[in-house]
Amino acid sequence: MLEKLTGGKFLVVGRAGMDLSPIPAGTKAEDATQMSAHLGGSSANIAAALTRHGCEADLVTCVSDDAIGRFCLNQLDHYKIGRDHVRSIGGEYRNTLAVTESRIEDHQTVIYRNGAADFQMDKSDIDKVDFSRFDAMIVTGTLFASEPSRTASLYALEKAKAAGVICILDVDYRPYSWESDKQATEIYSQIGPLCDIVIGNDDEFGFMAGSKDAGQAFAKDLAQRINGICVYKMGPEGSITYADGCSFQTGIFKVDALKPTGAGDAFMGGFLATLVKKGDLQEAVLRGSASAAIVVSKPGCAPAMPTPDELNAFLNSNHVTSQTA
């Protein structure tokens, strides 16, 4: 399966938004007099991480036809993210806006998602995609929380699978986006088996399994069912990766974290870019973990994504806490 990734061409389906961060770092949102603006949204952040590593990434989403939507389009250009499949829509739909602090203690992130433009992506947006151009497609769980993006995303998975494109799921469970936990569990039970690589944390796999205690066993079983890869992340305890009937544990890199956000998106970028260039799963998880450590130690999410040179320099001067083959 992994040999299909060698072209490094990714289709990323999901949202782009604006992140506002109080400056200087450490400032509470309620005390802010200045803020910096950056590209945001998990899918756009993943795409930015991939292009920083020299991969190609095209985004499929909807943005609002206003100043914030145009900001997102400009940022996609800045990060060299393809936007041929980004549709601007009018009316009352708005881009996601996140006010997120660069501090760890009592960290606050406030996300505005009412009438989200990205939820308006529909099947017609997917029909315009030539899946034969891509090696892999990344979807995030948030896409499935509402219609018409839920149906469009399931449709994208069907078309990608039919075209022989590797399907990758970032579980990305955000309870506030869903009508109910029950609905979310039902939908995740459909999308997990449609993917070749599933990445999530212990809470997310636990949610999919019905209880946190069952999450690890669920990840192991899912990897076998899909004949693919599941990366079960455990925060400060590192991660366990399941593939080919085997597993291995990877530790974390200890850094002085500036914020808790962006780690998952950075992990995905570093992980996939390494699979593209080297095809080694253990090294991919290691470099994904290092990418996450770099991003939480710097302000912003998209602008903090490391280049290969930055990642190599970090690895040369930092060591993982533990690693068990």
Side-chain angles (χ1 to χ4, degrees):
M1 175 183 69
L2 296 181
E3 64 274 7
K4 295 181 181 180
L5 289 175
T6 54
K9 296 180 179 180
F10 292 89
L11 182 69
V12 187
V13 187
R15 70 188 187 278
M18 175 188 278
D19 283 356
L20 295 177
S21 299
I23 52 178
T27 304
K28 293 182 180 180
E30 56 261 40
D31 297 331
T33 57
Q34 299 180 71
M35 292 196 181
S36 58
H38 306 288
L39 178 66
S42 56
S43 300
N45 287 339
I46 290 169
L50 288 167
T51 59
R52 280 282 177 90
H53 283 286
C55 297
E56 295 182 30
D58 282 48
L59 190 67
V60 184
T61 193
C62 291
V63 298
S64 52
D65 187 14
D66 57 22
I68 306 303
R70 289 188 288 276
F71 169 88
C72 293
L73 295 178
N74 290 339
Q75 287 287 295
L76 294 178
D77 290 342
H78 172 75
Y79 289 100
K80 299 179 181 179
I81 299 167
R83 58 177 179 93
D84 288 347
H85 302 296
V86 178
R87 176 166 59 95
S88 297
I89 57 173
E92 295 301 312
Y93 300 112
R94 295 289 180 262
N95 269 79
T96 297
L97 176 67
V99 179
T100 180
E101 298 172 338
S102 295
R103 65 194 188 107
I104 291 294
E105 187 176 356
D106 298 324
H107 173 86
Q108 300 176 102
T109 290
V110 181
I111 300 178
Y112 296 87
R113 292 278 291 157
N114 294 335
D118 55 277
F119 279 151
Q120 300 311 307
M121 179 185 66
D122 60 33
K123 291 176 71 174
S124 70
D125 296 301
I126 305 304
D127 278 326
K128 295 172 184 175
V129 177
D130 178 2
F131 283 87
S132 67
R133 290 183 49 228
F134 301 98
D135 304 305
M137 181 181 73
I138 304 165
V139 295
T140 61
T142 307
L143 291 169
F144 299 87
S146 185
E147 293 287 8
S149 66
R150 178 186 305 145
T151 295
S153 301
L154 286 167
Y155 184 51
L157 284 171
E158 292 172 7
K159 296 200 72 173
K161 295 292 282 187
V165 173
I166 293 176
C167 295
I168 302 158
L169 172 65
D170 178 355
V171 179
D172 193 32
Y173 176 56
R174 313 287 180 101
Y176 57 78
S177 293
W178 293 82
E179 292 180 8
S180 68
D181 289 348
K182 179 181 178 182
Q183 179 198 54
T185 300
E186 290 173 354
I187 298 300
Y188 274 113
S189 69
Q190 296 178 44
I191 59 179
L194 295 175
C195 298
D196 302 293
I197 300 174
V198 180
I199 298 177
N201 61 36
D202 44 5
D203 287 329
E204 290 169 333
F205 274 111
F207 172 78
M208 293 172 71
S211 72
K212 187 168 182 177
D213 291 342
Q216 186 174 335
F218 180 90
K220 180 180 180 180
D221 176 69
L222 181 60
Q224 294 175 335
R225 280 192 287 147
I226 64 176
N227 192 28
I229 299 166
C230 285
V231 182
Y232 178 83
K233 297 186 290 186
M234 304 176 292
E237 296 179 20
S239 64
I240 301 175
T241 302
Y242 297 98
D244 297 325
C246 301
S247 66
F248 61 88
Q249 185 171 338
T250 307
I252 64 166
F253 293 87
K254 290 188 176 181
V255 294
D256 292 327
L258 184 64
K259 64 185 193 309
T261 53
D265 303 332
F267 178 93
M268 181 72 84
F271 171 77
L272 292 175
T274 305
L275 289 180
V276 167
K277 296 175 182 178
K278 301 188 178 183
D280 184 274
L281 184 56
Q282 291 203 36
E283 186 171 357
V285 176
L286 185 71
R287 290 175 72 87
S289 299
S291 298
I294 291 170
V295 167
V296 298
S297 65
K298 298 166 64 177
C301 290
M305 298 298 172
T307 64
D309 287 345
E310 290 170 332
L311 182 53
N312 290 336
F314 178 88
L315 286 165
N316 286 335
S317 57
N318 292 271
H319 300 283
V320 72
T321 56
S322 63
Q323 186 172 352
T324 305

